Amino acid sequence: MNTSLTALARPVTAAVRAGYAWSVRREKPEAWLEVARMTGVIMRHLGPGSAPVTPSELVALLHQPLGVWLSGADPVLGELVILDEHDRLTDDTYGIACDYTTEVLAGQEDPGARWLPKWRTHRAEQVEQEAFQRLVSGSDEDYSVGRRFLVEHPAGASDDLLDRQTDLGLRPLVSYEPIPQHRQEAGRWWACPVCHWPMAISPSGHVTCRFRPHRATYTLTDGLRILPADGAPPAPRAQSANGAVCVDESIWRFVVVPGVVEIRLHDRLDRLPGVSAALYPGKDRFDVGVRRAGEDDWLVTLDVKDFSSPAALAAKVTDRPIAAGVLVVPDYRRDQLAQLKRLLPGMDIATESQIYRRTSRLSREEQ
């Protein structure tokens, strides 16, 4: 891994873990020790005179932008605030800090791993491998169908999800748990129109998807209707929380959120005349492959990456080179292109709409 990213990953992960622990300190006695433990991790990183020396000092810093106290943070990371005024994790923590999640206690027992959500203790690759280990032994088609199912059905009525999996010939891939109380109101819950995972409901009546680029922000009315904010997708219908379940946050953030873009791009390309698109070919050797109809050779191969920080994405790809010919970023990350091309010279990088237009031209040329 890139040295600068390695250096930042530990304190950023420690800050997120401490922030989460602080947010649940009233419900979980283990939280106090976790904050103290993560204070120690950050002290070792920042060194004497530059680090918080008590848990209370660390908590105070978590309410400030990371750039104020964490040197070396790029502009995106530097603006991240972990805790809001109500001592809850901010939405940006789900979008930005996940780019840096790593193990902070490697080589020793991690007490936090027993109760912290996995996205705060595991890397994306670890979560992904655990989720799909049952699919790896099957065929390529089984893998593609199973992974797509999980992305498209991260929540719903338990009986309905089980019936859908049975109809597809799938065994249960991951555990679904009852929808948490903070994601329901008066026995109702609302799925994000983009990723279909239960949106969070604040005490002030705001209903939001915690992944900010989905722009799913609503206001809850007294009649249990939700009204969209400017620019939000149309409001989804309320669903009964009775018997409703969802995947945990780690699966949502590391599998569902990026999978939404992967599937969207695949489906757009597969509708082009004269070509066929494959989703997760070779059991995820890359995300999408496109062939000319009736031929075996790939016309184009694509790997979709959705990172809030271009620097973190560049470091990731440098550390783990992609197998695809093109690195694709979501359309809502189009402003990253210039920086990514500077950081990754020689790599073919495009937005999802750019690669759609390019592939459309290629398909016509090949006919």
Side-chain angles (χ1 to χ4, degrees):
M1 182 182 287
N2 178 280
T3 303
S4 61
L5 181 58
T6 302
L8 290 172
R10 287 175 60 82
V12 172
T13 300
V16 173
R17 288 176 56 150
Y20 174 78
W22 188 252
S23 73
V24 298
R25 66 191 182 282
R26 294 182 179 88
E27 302 96 70
K28 294 186 177 292
E30 310 97 317
W32 297 91
L33 284 177
E34 179 67 16
V35 176
R37 193 178 298 115
M38 293 304 104
T39 301
V41 171
I42 292 174
M43 286 176 63
R44 287 193 294 275
H45 173 82
L46 295 180
S50 301
V53 297
T54 66
S56 60
E57 289 182 12
L58 173 58
V59 170
L61 291 179
L62 297 181
H63 290 86
Q64 301 180 42
L66 262 63
V68 171
W69 56 275
L70 183 60
S71 61
D74 65 73
V76 174
L77 182 62
E79 294 177 0
L80 173 63
V81 177
I82 301 292
L83 289 174
D84 65 17
E85 66 273 18
H86 302 295
D87 284 338
R88 297 174 305 193
L89 292 182
T90 63
D91 289 351
D92 283 337
T93 300
Y94 292 86
I96 298 173
C98 285
D99 293 350
Y100 294 85
T101 303
T102 190
E103 295 172 284
V104 297
L105 299 173
Q108 56 183 299
E109 182 183 2
D110 183 352
R114 293 194 294 267
W115 63 279
L116 287 168
K118 287 184 178 179
W119 76 265
R120 297 171 178 92
T121 59
H122 285 47
R123 296 188 302 275
E125 295 86 352
Q126 292 173 296
V127 173
E128 186 177 300
Q129 288 167 7
E130 288 185 11
F132 298 114
Q133 59 183 342
R134 294 182 182 179
L135 292 174
V136 172
S137 60
S139 67
D140 283 4
E141 183 179 1
D142 291 338
Y143 185 94
S144 178
V145 170
R147 184 161 185 150
R148 179 167 187 146
F149 176 87
L150 189 55
V151 172
E152 293 184 327
H153 300 91
S158 179
D159 290 345
D160 181 56
L161 291 172
L162 184 59
D163 288 344
R164 288 173 181 265
Q165 290 180 86
T166 300
D167 290 343
L168 291 170
L170 296 173
R171 293 177 296 169
L173 303 178
V174 299
S175 296
Y176 285 82
E177 304 294 338
I179 293 177
Q181 287 297 319
H182 67 280
R183 297 184 181 276
Q184 54 177 283
E185 178 71 22
R188 296 288 184 269
W189 67 280
W190 290 264
C192 168
V194 180
C195 66
H196 308 301
W197 202 60
M199 292 190 283
I201 305 172
S202 72
S204 58
H206 289 102
V207 181
T208 59
C209 176
R210 303 307 296 268
F211 191 67
R212 192 183 293 273
H214 290 170
R215 302 181 68 183
T217 303
Y218 307 87
T219 300
L220 182 63
T221 69
D222 291 339
L224 289 182
R225 293 177 58 241
I226 60 173
L227 304 178
D230 289 344
R237 64 178 179 83
Q239 301 183 57
S240 173
N242 184 27
V245 293
C246 63
V247 298
D248 71 23
E249 284 183 339
S250 60
I251 297 294
W252 165 70
R253 182 58 185 85
F254 289 140
V255 175
V256 177
V257 167
V260 167
V261 183
E262 295 158 0
I263 290 173
R264 180 171 65 214
L265 179 58
H266 164 271
D267 291 354
R268 290 182 70 189
L269 296 173
D270 199 45
R271 288 191 291 267
L272 286 171
V275 300
S276 63
L279 185 63
Y280 309 124
K283 299 175 186 175
D284 202 28
R285 184 166 180 262
F286 37 81
D287 295 323
V288 180
V290 181
R291 294 186 176 99
R292 186 181 178 186
E295 296 191 358
D296 294 330
D297 293 338
W298 296 116
L299 186 62
V300 63
T301 56
L302 312 169
D303 202 317
V304 180
K305 297 295 184 188
D306 186 358
F307 278 57
S308 298
S309 166
L313 172 53
K316 181 74 170 181
V317 172
T318 300
D319 180 50
R320 294 171 182 254
I322 63 174
V326 185
L327 172 64
V328 182
V329 297
D331 284 340
Y332 52 74
R333 306 287 191 200
R334 63 176 62 88
D335 60 345
Q336 296 182 353
L337 278 182
Q339 185 176 353
L340 284 171
K341 289 179 178 180
R342 288 196 302 270
L343 294 170
L344 298 167
M347 180 170 288
D348 193 353
I349 308 171
T351 66
E352 52 182 310
S353 287
Q354 287 175 337
I355 203 66
Y356 175 82
R357 291 192 293 271
R358 188 194 305 180
T359 306
S360 180
R361 289 194 299 270
L362 286 173
S363 68
R364 292 195 298 269
E365 291 169 3
E366 292 288 337
Q367 291 178 359

